[in-house]
Amino acid sequence: MKKRSADWKIFTLWVIGLALAAVCLGWILRIESERQLGQSAEQSALRWAQFADRTVPDLEAALAGRGVTPAAREQLARLLHTDDVFHFKLFDAAGKPVLSSDELPDARSSPTHAAEDDFGKGSANQADALILGPVLAGQPQVELKRAARSGGPPVYSQAYVPVKRDGRVLGVVEVYVDQTERARLNEGAFLRVAGAVAALLLVLLAVASYQFWVRLRRQRQADTRVRYMAHHDALSGALNRASFNEVLQQAAWRRAEGGPAFSLLCIDLDYFKEVNDSFGHAAGDQVLRVATQRLKASVREGDQVARLGGDEFAIVLLGVATVEAVTPLAQRIVEALALSYEVSDQRVICGGSVGVAIHGLDATDPDELLGKADLALYRAKANGRGSFSFYDVQMDQQMQARRELTRDLREAIAADQLSLHYQPLYGRDAHTLTGYEALLRWHHPTRGDIAPVEFIALAEETGVIDAIGLWVLRRACVEAAGWPAPLTVAVNLSALQFASDNLVELVTRALSDAGLAPERLELEITESLLMNNTDQVMGVLRALSGMGVSIAMDDFGTGYSSLAYLWRFPFDKVKIDRAFTHNLGHDAKVGVIVHSIISLAHSLNIRVSAEGVETPSQMAALQDRGCDEFQGFLLGRPAPLEGLTHVGRVGAPASTIRRSPPRESVLAPSPMELATTLPESMN
Ligand code: C2E
Ligand code: MG
Ligand code: MG
């Protein structure tokens, strides 16, 4: 704004400057033209006087007071109308008039005769007397005069020219020369030059105005752009967070003053991180742009779509404030986001979830409303993504409980509430104990034992997983170091633990601090880690493997493209998810799949372990298909360190370490036998 008024000032100064220049130039031209006119008047008068001096006979005698001879009169009469002279007077050396042109015979008929009053009759008038002094001293005097009162030419020059002989002034010729024609020509030239100058100045003014206009337009465009950038997200073109907050605040104010009711939608793209990680940031940006277009297309003209950051969006729906009215809209948005995206010549599915809070019904304060829409979004995500959810009061209670649990979880390590249970793993013969999987347990002071499925996800969401994961790793290594070699310990790693750049160092330190050989540690990872197939993750896995630590893929078969990951990294083991084991007896096709997985893994030199073995028939079916390792309630439930059956048999070779009860009961255990022989478990 400041800049613009400065520009206007500059422009005004330009105009004033040009106008002044025009006036000055006009003035200078005028003076110059007058000067030229005066000069030419002087020259013509001098010329005439000199000519008269030369050609009038007996002029010297006439000026000396010896009378004007008829020949002189005749010549003077002839000269009267030459060179535009229309009147003259002769003065002697004392300034006394000798002759006036009016006294010449044909002067009577001259058109200037009527003006004799103005030009003097034959006697020296007062003006003549004043001026004659310097002229008699030898100095000619010329004066340009305009507009005689009556008769006579409108412009004429009055010149006093001394007549000299040998440097002596004999007298003075006063001559009047008509300058009207010269003045007219001069005037014409002046007008032409003035016109040209004015045209030039006008061109300059036009150029300056054009430049000013262009500058002003550019500035206006820049202002509009800056204003747009201040309110919009540069990537997607949606409103940014700051202006969305304003929009929300205004909607609430207007509502308070009887304006339209409204609802607030919080939207989050379901697999944006995966798209970003797998296809790169350019692809992620493209998804964000298309998602924004889809959101805008799903709502009405006046509804405001904003990108709050990352893959979070929000929409204020004006005039829509009931569950019935919002439902089809929310549904439409979920469907629009579920469509695939064209990214780097590939079709990508990203999906989105929606949380809805209704103003007036759920909250009136904008911040509170946003918080509630967020809670509803959280619920939609927890419900399996790709869906929408309305806020309800229970969500607050659940959120409160979640907050408390998170707080307790943060304190759990220090409060010594965490412990590890170990579930045995058996070799191909189902008798040989090969090691244990460490499974985390949390004994909450008021809520009792909490299963990991309940709190691991929470730990991951709240970032506590790093501390807890490290605690598990170190504790498992220390406890396993007390087991007879070559019993192994399997530790579950969360994908998030790979985000820290010192995982290899932490594992190395845990092993060396515990004095456990790397070959006795197995790290279980899940497919979710490999979905973010970054060089960093691969580098860490290779480094761990290079140390001698085994890497197992846990819960194999639960992801949506499991097989694809097998060749990405040389796993030592895959653990078939217990869902397969469970369905072995129910569905013949599962048997075929399990068989295929085992043969595929074997051909890639990967061992196969089966999880969740609960019945002898499952066991037999898995053994038939060549499974290398077994884990499940049939063989042993997770138990605390003190309950492990091998304890006390330290030093026994692996092949001789057998679980009790003896082989027969393993292969055909009765529930009673299991209950009495397997360690106590919490599960
Ligand atoms: P997981 O790694 O697949 O662990 C095996 C889970 O299956 C354990 O559940 C175990 O108790 C259960 N299980 C074993 N045999 C049977 C069976 O025959 N039948 C049935 N129904 N279940 C069986 P748990 O201990 O509740 O652990 C659940 C999951 O929590 C684990 O699945 C693992 O993904 C995670 N988890 C446990 N401890 C940790 C940990 O220290 N760190 C991380 N990141 N995750 C852990
Ligand atoms: Mg596991
Ligand atoms: Mg598992």
Side-chain angles (χ1 to χ4, degrees):
M1 225 31 203
K2 248 185 187 170
K3 201 163 178 232
R4 193 167 303 163
S5 78
D7 277 350
W8 270 109
K9 264 185 207 156
I10 290 172
F11 181 69
T12 316
L13 283 177
W14 250 96
V15 173
I16 293 173
L18 283 176
L20 275 177
V23 169
C24 286
L25 257 165
W27 184 65
I28 290 168
L29 281 173
R30 187 90 222 164
I31 287 180
E32 179 59 19
S33 116
E34 286 291 296
R35 196 185 62 78
Q36 276 183 11
L37 194 61
Q39 228 172 32
S40 84
E42 183 179 339
Q43 277 164 9
S44 58
L46 283 174
R47 215 172 31 241
W48 187 88
Q50 279 160 6
F51 189 65
D53 186 16
R54 268 203 323 275
T55 57
V56 176
D58 309 321
L59 186 62
E60 195 178 337
L63 291 175
R66 291 199 291 271
V68 183
T69 62
R73 269 178 194 275
E74 195 181 323
Q75 175 60 7
L76 284 169
R78 226 179 279 133
L79 284 179
L80 179 60
H81 296 300
T82 59
D83 235 358
D84 293 332
V85 169
F86 63 92
H87 184 71
F88 66 83
K89 285 184 202 168
L90 298 179
F91 298 90
D92 65 13
K96 208 172 114 219
V98 174
L99 178 76
S100 164
S101 56
D102 298 333
E103 296 162 29
L104 295 173
D106 73 326
R108 299 277 123 199
S109 59
S110 146
T112 56
H113 179 72
E116 64 185 12
D117 278 349
D118 299 317
F119 306 110
K121 277 187 176 168
S123 58
N125 57 27
Q126 246 179 342
D128 288 342
L130 270 177
I131 228 159
L132 278 172
V135 183
L136 287 169
Q139 197 62 42
Q141 298 286 318
V142 182
E143 210 180 324
L144 192 67
K145 296 196 166 180
R146 284 180 190 273
R149 267 163 295 161
S150 59
V155 186
Y156 63 93
S157 53
Q158 183 182 6
Y160 296 84
V161 184
V163 180
K164 296 182 188 172
R165 285 283 183 283
D166 306 326
R168 194 167 53 88
V169 177
L170 302 177
V172 173
V173 177
E174 180 189 1
V175 56
Y176 290 78
V177 187
D178 182 355
Q179 301 286 359
T180 312
E181 183 55 19
R182 271 194 204 91
R184 199 182 58 76
L185 290 173
N186 246 16
E187 193 84 357
F190 165 75
L191 283 176
R192 272 196 301 281
V193 174
V197 168
L200 188 74
L201 288 178
L202 271 175
V203 168
L204 275 177
L205 188 68
V207 169
S209 308
Y210 175 73
Q211 279 189 344
F212 177 70
W213 175 75
V214 168
R215 207 183 143 108
L216 219 62
R217 202 184 52 172
R218 275 204 206 120
Q219 230 166 52
R220 212 166 292 143
Q221 283 169 345
D223 283 355
T224 316
R225 183 104 195 102
V226 165
R227 228 174 299 125
Y228 180 85
M229 299 286 276
H231 291 95
H232 291 80
D233 163 49
L235 175 73
S236 64
L239 285 183
N240 59 21
R241 184 182 273 274
S243 26
F244 183 74
N245 285 344
E246 262 173 46
V247 165
L248 191 59
Q249 187 72 57
Q250 275 170 14
W253 280 336
R254 270 196 224 117
R255 179 68 188 136
E257 283 162 13
F262 68 94
S263 48
L264 174 63
L265 271 59
C266 276
I267 299 140
D268 195 284
L269 301 185
D270 291 334
Y271 296 100
F272 180 71
K273 191 179 174 320
E274 284 75 5
V275 171
N276 233 355
D277 291 344
S278 309
F279 298 93
H281 288 284
D285 289 353
Q286 173 67 2
V287 167
L288 288 174
R289 275 191 286 267
V290 177
T292 309
Q293 284 161 15
R294 291 183 187 172
L295 290 177
K296 283 183 177 169
S298 305
V299 296
R300 286 180 310 198
E301 189 75 4
D303 296 331
Q304 305 277 7
V305 176
R307 180 173 165 233
L308 304 184
D311 58 341
E312 279 177 63
F313 293 86
I315 302 179
V316 167
L317 290 177
L318 285 176
V320 185
T322 60
V323 173
E324 295 72 35
V326 178
T327 299
L329 255 161
Q331 183 63 44
R332 205 155 66 217
I333 288 172
V334 168
E335 282 164 12
L337 295 178
L339 296 174
S340 64
Y341 296 81
E342 188 95 36
V343 161
S344 331
D345 290 337
Q346 295 191 59
R347 293 205 160 275
V348 174
I349 301 285
C350 191
S353 306
V354 180
V356 188
I358 296 173
H359 182 261
L361 187 73
D362 299 325
T364 45
D365 176 69
D367 286 343
E368 211 180 312
L369 193 68
L370 198 59
K372 296 201 160 164
D374 235 6
L375 269 184
L377 173 64
Y378 181 79
R379 163 73 68 82
K381 290 238 164 216
N383 284 351
R385 308 182 182 195
S387 64
F388 62 92
S389 192
F390 283 85
Y391 168 81
D392 69 48
V393 202
Q394 273 182 1
M395 287 180 189
D396 270 336
Q397 291 157 0
Q398 284 164 358
M399 194 40 79
Q400 184 57 26
R402 200 178 120 84
R403 259 186 233 121
E404 282 168 14
L405 201 65
T406 309
R407 187 199 56 213
D408 295 348
L409 190 58
R410 284 186 206 282
E411 293 162 4
I413 300 177
D416 204 19
Q417 293 164 6
L418 297 182
S419 65
L420 289 180
H421 280 197
Y422 295 94
Q423 187 175 27
L425 299 155
Y426 285 91
R428 198 170 290 159
D429 59 2
H431 296 298
T432 311
L433 180 69
T434 57
Y436 292 94
E437 177 175 3
L439 294 162
L440 184 58
R441 296 293 178 263
W442 179 16
H443 185 80
H444 191 275
T446 54
R447 297 174 59 170
D449 292 324
I450 305 177
V453 281
E454 267 192 65
F455 67 85
I456 289 287
L458 186 63
E460 286 179 335
E461 281 166 35
T462 52
V464 191
I465 192 69
D466 277 329
I468 289 182
L470 183 60
W471 180 88
V472 171
L473 179 72
R474 295 183 65 83
R475 174 61 65 94
C477 286
V478 167
E479 293 184 341
W483 304 342
L487 283 189
T488 58
V489 64
V491 172
N492 292 284
L493 284 188
S494 157
L496 294 181
Q497 286 175 265
F498 281 77
S500 69
D501 47 13
N502 62 345
L503 184 62
V504 178
E505 194 188 318
L506 294 177
V507 172
T508 313
R509 200 159 338 128
L511 286 168
S512 66
D513 287 355
L516 186 73
E519 291 71 27
R520 295 183 61 197
L521 175 65
E522 187 167 81
L523 296 174
E524 295 190 5
I525 60 158
T526 51
E527 278 175 35
S528 63
L529 175 71
L530 298 176
M531 279 177 74
N532 310 333
N533 179 26
T534 61
D535 292 346
Q536 188 250 349
V537 168
M538 287 300 158
V540 173
L541 285 176
R542 277 196 198 99
L544 292 169
S545 186
M547 283 162 55
V549 173
S550 305
I551 308 291
M553 184 187 271
D554 204 357
D555 306 335
F556 186 73
T558 51
Y560 68 99
S561 58
S562 317
L563 292 177
Y565 298 119
L566 282 185
W567 58 264
R568 287 199 182 157
F569 182 77
F571 289 98
D572 297 284
K573 188 201 276 186
V574 293
K575 296 181 78 178
I576 301 177
D577 190 70
R578 64 173 184 266
F580 286 97
T581 311
H582 180 74
N583 288 312
L584 258 180
H586 306 116
D587 191 340
K589 277 183 262 166
V590 176
V592 177
I593 294 173
V594 169
H595 180 73
S596 309
I597 294 175
I598 294 172
S599 355
L600 177 75
H602 281 172
S603 56
L604 290 169
N605 228 2
I606 301 172
R607 281 181 298 127
V608 181
S609 178
E611 297 183 306
V613 184
E614 291 181 349
T615 65
S617 58
Q618 288 170 352
M619 179 76 161
L622 286 162
Q623 275 181 318
D624 280 353
R625 285 170 177 82
C627 193
D628 304 296
E629 201 178 58
F630 307 96
Q631 178 182 4
F633 293 168
L634 175 69
L635 303 163
R637 287 174 178 264
L641 186 71
E642 317 78 73
L644 301 188
T645 52
H646 73 268
V647 175
R649 307 181 67 177
V650 178
S655 55
T656 62
I657 298 171
R658 296 182 180 240
R659 62 181 286 277
S660 60
R663 189 173 190 271
E664 293 70 33
S665 62
V666 175
L667 290 172
S670 70
M672 280 306 287
E673 273 176 325
L674 277 174
T676 51
T677 56
L678 293 174
E680 272 302 301
S681 165
M682 292 170 47
N683 284 15

